[in-house]
Amino acid sequence: MAEIVLRDIEKYFGDNYVIRKLNLTIAHKEFVVLLGPSGCGKTTTLRAIAGLEEIDSGDILIDGKPVQGLQAGERDIAFVFQLFALYPHLTAYDNIAFPLRATRESRSEVDAKVRAVAHSLQIEHLLSRRPSHLSGGDMQRVAIGRALVRRPKAMLMDEPIGALDAKLREEMRTELKRLHLENDQTTVYVTHDQVEAMSLADRIAIMNEGVLQQVGTPEDVYQYPANLFVAQFVGSPVMNITKAKLDADGARTKVMLAEGAAAFDFPPDLEQRIASAGRPSSDLVLGIRPEGVLVSRGEADGHIPVEAHIIEPLGAYDIVDLKVGSEFLRARTTSGFVGKPGDTVWAKLDQSQTHFFDSGSGDAINVRLG
Amino acid sequence: MAHIRLDRVTKIFGGTTAVRDLSLDVENGEFFVLLGPTGAGKTTTLRLIAGLEKPTSGTIAIGGEDVREWSAAERDVALVFQYYSLYPRYTVYQNLAFPLKSRARHYSAEEIEERVHKAAQTLRIDHLLDRKTDKLSGGEMQRVSIGRAIVREPKAFLMDEPLSNLDAKLREALRSELKDLQMKLGATFLFVTHDQIEAMSMGDKVGVLNKGRIVQVGKPQEIYNAPRDVFVAGFVGSPAMNLLAGEVRGGRVSAMSGKVEVPLNGAAGKPSSGRRAVTVGIRSEDISVGPDEAVEARVHDVENHGVEKIVTLRVDEHLFRATVPATVAVNVESPVKFSFNPSKLHCFDRSTGANLAFSA
């Protein structure tokens, strides 16, 4: 068992909060990713769990027991850093076996454990090599092996694949995920890369400026972002965000974008629904992901004509900038769908993928359409 | 005119050949991207064009003139680097005006003023002109260094990974800004990057470099849909193209120890009389997953990317990736069925790596 509970954690340097009233429960066997930009407090949080950093108030509980009084070594947690931190003079085998030195296990027990870990990481053939003769990916595999070999209650990882190149990161993502499935260790993983977070996590905890913004499954945070920060931090290309005004005449409601340069039909009761969600409908911000902007080559019901600007061909699909007044709406289309910049196409917003936010607080207005 | 032409250029440093027999044509007004991994020779190529290095052999022409004897300054090209290299004690205005104040250029005060304001407007940094550069964000600093290149109105812009130091969101935003800028200026851009998304999204044309050689030049779609060899196939596209050991036998292609077999599409190569060992390439979006597909596999891993899911499938010990819509429910270790789309399949010679569609 290894359930980690963070209760009202605070940490500050002088007047600056690094972590503010953080509450988070990481369930036994769960893979939780702390996601946020640099300086958001995610690494400090991870280091506090590990016992490498003191907190100023609040409680950290592992399996129900407060651990603030325990040294890092007594918490039975393994830590993997972005930089490999291997002993350069030891072979991969000895690096992995190192944490077992103090355990007074017999040589054959140690050997069995090292080989089992090496097998699951597929580095058995590299065990006799020194770190200087390993590639970046293999070094990180060895570092992970060293963390795993003790069978710790929990694994904490701080951007463990951040230093690897793009292709290797893709491969390592899958390996890390499989490893977690096989070993069932509670894992807390820190990254600033939303793709990594989305692909690895059971749940993502998004932080900004020391404050937890939202905790949820990848589907949750992608489809129902709690505020503008989450909406724009998760997803690539970034969600379109634009000021919106409602124009209702009882029978229908139009959502006006870019100072009225574009008007899209929405359900007549939209204004009412926004009002009953408890927010004023004056300063509205509309958010829609590129795949929620539907594009047609010809006139179509509910679509408005727009001019295509830059087309980014990304291989499997294109991202097309559509000129709406002085702004752009980015749409995701099939590859080659829009011929060239300057072409006129017709666009509409998929209502089920349209989000509304309060421009003042940045909070999402909980109206789900379609 | 800023047509840039490299003809059989080789550059050797000591015993290392950084650029080998490289020929390249960048048209006037074109956004050309040189794409390749670290050490491919991209930056050396850029420095050769800028006049910061001399080629060991071969010729470089700018605007139709051989520039062998021209100094870097005479070539009238602007370089923008990954690191901004701005003057920290100067304001944005002073940084932008600096390249115009050189005695060789003789610009009047009014002309300098006008050019600086025009560049600042284009890059939307006109509100920052009085700010010292150490008070700017990374994105603003990179805009200023691009501005410093623009004010001179050079024949061509050479950019060496200018976005690499910025965070993901900013990179995305600056990608479109740079492309927009290039279209507005109608200028020749030669842009170097190791990031295939930057290359695909900005380039009118992309040249893929590997080990000092140009492997393929083409429009982004051509590079993506018709890679000349297995290197380009694996380097361009995310997730990377699945590359699996297979063979061509008569008019059929098989992969994964014969578990998958499809007719050889004419576009992927000619039928082979005997057996031919190949590497079979197929992109994740060209694999269909569903109850009515042909071959059984286990789900090895599921990655949620929001708009879609990328699933790693396993057949025996073979792993490959397929893209499915976000709404499809898939669970790790559950059985699924899949098919390869035969018309989207590539065959590469196992030993040379060449795409059979382009060779015998």
Side-chain angles (χ1 to χ4, degrees), chain B residues 91-100 116 120 125 129 144 147-148 151:
Chain B
T91 62
V92 169
Y93 185 97
Q94 288 166 323
N95 265 284
L96 292 177
F98 192 84
L100 302 175
V116 168
I125 46 172
L129 285 173
V144 176
R148 217 166 45 170
V151 288

Side-chain angles (χ1 to χ4, degrees), chain A residues 126-141:
Chain A
L126 303 174
L127 285 175
S128 58
R129 292 207 199 158
R130 297 237 165 107
S132 54
H133 290 93
L134 296 174
S135 67
D138 287 334
M139 280 203 260
Q140 197 56 291
R141 288 187 185 97

Side-chain angles (χ1 to χ4, degrees), chain B residues 218-333:
Chain B
K219 291 186 182 145
Q221 294 92 334
E222 289 167 8
I223 303 272
Y224 187 84
N225 293 323
R228 302 289 300 210
D229 72 4
V230 77
F231 171 80
V232 177
F235 195 74
V236 175
S238 174
M241 185 188 282
N242 295 299
L243 296 169
L244 303 158
E247 65 174 24
V248 175
R249 199 174 174 189
R252 299 185 74 78
V253 190
S254 65
M256 297 191 279
S257 324
K259 283 284 164 68
V260 180
E261 196 185 277
V262 294
L264 178 65
N265 187 283
K270 297 177 197 76
S272 139
S273 48
R275 288 180 175 198
R276 180 165 189 179
V278 296
T279 300
V280 172
I282 187 148
R283 295 202 183 273
S284 65
E285 68 265 26
D286 300 322
I287 299 175
S288 326
V289 177
D292 303 326
E293 303 300 339
V295 189
E296 284 191 7
R298 291 262 164 190
V299 177
H300 186 74
D301 182 32
V302 181
E303 291 194 346
N304 190 322
H305 287 238
V307 56
E308 64 208 3
K309 287 175 183 160
I310 294 173
V311 294
T312 305
L313 302 181
R314 189 176 70 229
V315 171
D316 301 334
E317 76 282 12
H318 307 283
L319 297 177
F320 58 96
R321 290 189 164 92
T323 307
V324 301
T327 48
V328 174
V330 271
N331 297 309
V332 171
E333 289 304 322

Side-chain angles (χ1 to χ4, degrees), chain A residues 182-194:
Chain A
E182 283 159 20
N183 289 283
D184 267 345
Q185 256 126 356
T186 308
T187 304
V188 188
Y189 184 107
V190 157
T191 183
H192 66 274
D193 179 346
Q194 58 94 19

Side-chain angles (χ1 to χ4, degrees), chain A residues 167 170-175 177-178 181-182 192 194-195 198-200 218-219 222-223 232-238 291 309-319 321 328 330 332 335-336 341, chain B residues 167 169 172 175-177 179-180 183 196-197 200-203 220-221 224-225 234-241 285 299-310 312 314 319 321 326 332-333:
Chain A
K167 298 286 151 192
E170 259 177 33
E171 278 172 36
M172 290 291 288
R173 270 193 335 239
T174 305
E175 286 184 29
K177 188 80 171 288
R178 286 297 301 187
L181 288 175
E182 283 159 20
H192 66 274
Q194 58 94 19
V195 175
M198 288 289 288
S199 26
L200 285 169
E219 289 83 357
Y222 189 83
Q223 288 172 16
Q232 295 196 278
F233 201 79
V234 173
S236 173
V238 67
E291 65 266 27
H309 188 53
I310 292 173
I311 302 168
E312 297 191 349
L314 295 180
Y317 58 92
D318 290 352
I319 296 294
D321 287 2
F328 291 102
R330 312 191 83 195
R332 176 176 160 130
S335 183
Chain B
D167 70 42
K169 296 288 148 192
E172 205 180 288
R175 240 161 53 197
S176 345
E177 277 187 35
K179 178 72 191 170
D180 191 46
M183 284 162 68
Q196 56 95 19
I197 295 181
M200 293 284 293
S201 60
M202 293 192 292
Q221 294 92 334
Y224 187 84
N225 293 323
F235 195 74
V236 175
S238 174
M241 185 188 282
E285 68 265 26
V299 177
H300 186 74
D301 182 32
V302 181
E303 291 194 346
N304 190 322
H305 287 238
V307 56
E308 64 208 3
K309 287 175 183 160
I310 294 173
T312 305
R314 189 176 70 229
L319 297 177
R321 290 189 164 92
V332 171
E333 289 304 322

Side-chain angles (χ1 to χ4, degrees), chain A residues 228-243:
Chain A
L228 278 171
F229 178 81
V230 175
Q232 295 196 278
F233 201 79
V234 173
S236 173
V238 67
M239 183 188 278
N240 294 293
I241 298 288
T242 177
K243 281 229 167 91

Side-chain angles (χ1 to χ4, degrees), chain A residues 58-125:
Chain A
D59 284 311
I60 299 174
L61 302 119
I62 297 180
D63 289 339
K65 293 190 198 87
V67 294
Q68 285 98 295
L70 294 180
Q71 298 283 323
E74 297 164 340
R75 296 191 185 188
D76 194 16
I77 279 174
F79 207 103
V80 179
F81 299 92
Q82 176 172 10
L83 299 171
F84 321 115
L86 298 176
Y87 299 106
H89 60 291
L90 297 181
T91 61
Y93 184 100
D94 291 333
N95 265 288
I96 295 174
F98 195 85
L100 300 177
R101 277 189 179 184
T103 59
R104 293 167 182 261
E105 288 178 79
S106 74
R107 193 170 289 180
S108 62
E109 277 171 324
V110 168
D111 189 64
K113 285 188 176 176
V114 171
R115 295 203 182 272
V117 164
H119 178 74
S120 74
L121 289 161
Q122 294 174 14
I123 48 173
E124 291 151 294
H125 59 295

Side-chain angles (χ1 to χ4, degrees), chain A residues 4-299:
Chain A
I4 301 171
V5 176
L6 308 180
R7 193 182 287 159
D8 288 337
I9 305 250
E10 301 224 313
K11 163 109 188 161
Y12 33 89
F13 291 120
D15 291 342
N16 292 330
Y17 276 87
V18 186
I19 306 171
R20 192 157 210 163
K21 281 273 180 245
L22 179 76
N23 283 287
L24 180 65
T25 298
I26 297 141
H28 179 51
K29 296 185 181 183
E30 195 177 23
F31 198 124
V32 168
V33 174
L34 300 179
L35 172 69
S38 51
C40 74
K42 56 189 191 298
T43 297
T44 310
T45 305
L46 193 75
R47 292 174 60 86
I49 299 172
L52 301 172
E53 194 99 44
E54 302 259 322
I55 52 171
D56 291 307
S57 65
D59 284 311
I60 299 174
L61 302 119
I62 297 180
D63 289 339
K65 293 190 198 87
V67 294
Q68 285 98 295
L70 294 180
Q71 298 283 323
E74 297 164 340
R75 296 191 185 188
D76 194 16
I77 279 174
F79 207 103
V80 179
F81 299 92
Q82 176 172 10
L83 299 171
F84 321 115
L86 298 176
Y87 299 106
H89 60 291
L90 297 181
T91 61
Y93 184 100
D94 291 333
N95 265 288
I96 295 174
F98 195 85
L100 300 177
R101 277 189 179 184
T103 59
R104 293 167 182 261
E105 288 178 79
S106 74
R107 193 170 289 180
S108 62
E109 277 171 324
V110 168
D111 189 64
K113 285 188 176 176
V114 171
R115 295 203 182 272
V117 164
H119 178 74
S120 74
L121 289 161
Q122 294 174 14
I123 48 173
E124 291 151 294
H125 59 295
L126 303 174
L127 285 175
S128 58
R129 292 207 199 158
R130 297 237 165 107
S132 54
H133 290 93
L134 296 174
S135 67
D138 287 334
M139 280 203 260
Q140 197 56 291
R141 288 187 185 97
V142 173
I144 293 167
R146 195 172 58 179
L148 275 175
V149 76
R150 284 193 297 123
R151 301 258 146 215
K153 280 188 193 163
M155 290 274 278
L156 307 181
M157 303 202 193
D158 189 6
E159 311 233 1
I161 57 176
L164 307 177
D165 72 40
K167 298 286 151 192
L168 196 54
R169 272 208 308 274
E170 259 177 33
E171 278 172 36
M172 290 291 288
R173 270 193 335 239
T174 305
E175 286 184 29
L176 283 174
K177 188 80 171 288
R178 286 297 301 187
L179 207 62
H180 175 249
L181 288 175
E182 283 159 20
N183 289 283
D184 267 345
Q185 256 126 356
T186 308
T187 304
V188 188
Y189 184 107
V190 157
T191 183
H192 66 274
D193 179 346
Q194 58 94 19
V195 175
E196 232 168 87
M198 288 289 288
S199 26
L200 285 169
D202 294 324
R203 284 191 304 153
I204 304 177
I206 297 154
M207 295 181 72
N208 188 34
E209 296 178 349
V211 179
L212 190 60
Q213 306 287 315
Q214 184 172 5
V215 185
T217 63
E219 289 83 357
D220 279 342
V221 299
Y222 189 83
Q223 288 172 16
Y224 308 113
N227 57 38
L228 278 171
F229 178 81
V230 175
Q232 295 196 278
F233 201 79
V234 173
S236 173
V238 67
M239 183 188 278
N240 294 293
I241 298 288
T242 177
K243 281 229 167 91
K245 282 219 165 68
L246 298 186
D247 179 18
D249 66 358
R252 65 192 330 190
T253 296
K254 282 185 181 291
V255 173
M256 321 277 287
L257 303 184
E259 314 289 333
F264 295 97
D265 290 332
F266 271 76
D269 63 344
L270 178 64
E271 192 163 20
Q272 218 178 325
R273 291 172 68 173
I274 288 176
S276 65
R279 301 251 163 56
S281 51
S282 54
D283 271 319
L284 255 194
V285 171
L286 177 145
I288 189 154
R289 297 199 183 276
E291 65 266 27
V293 180
L294 310 178
V295 184
S296 158
R297 282 205 201 96
E299 281 185 61

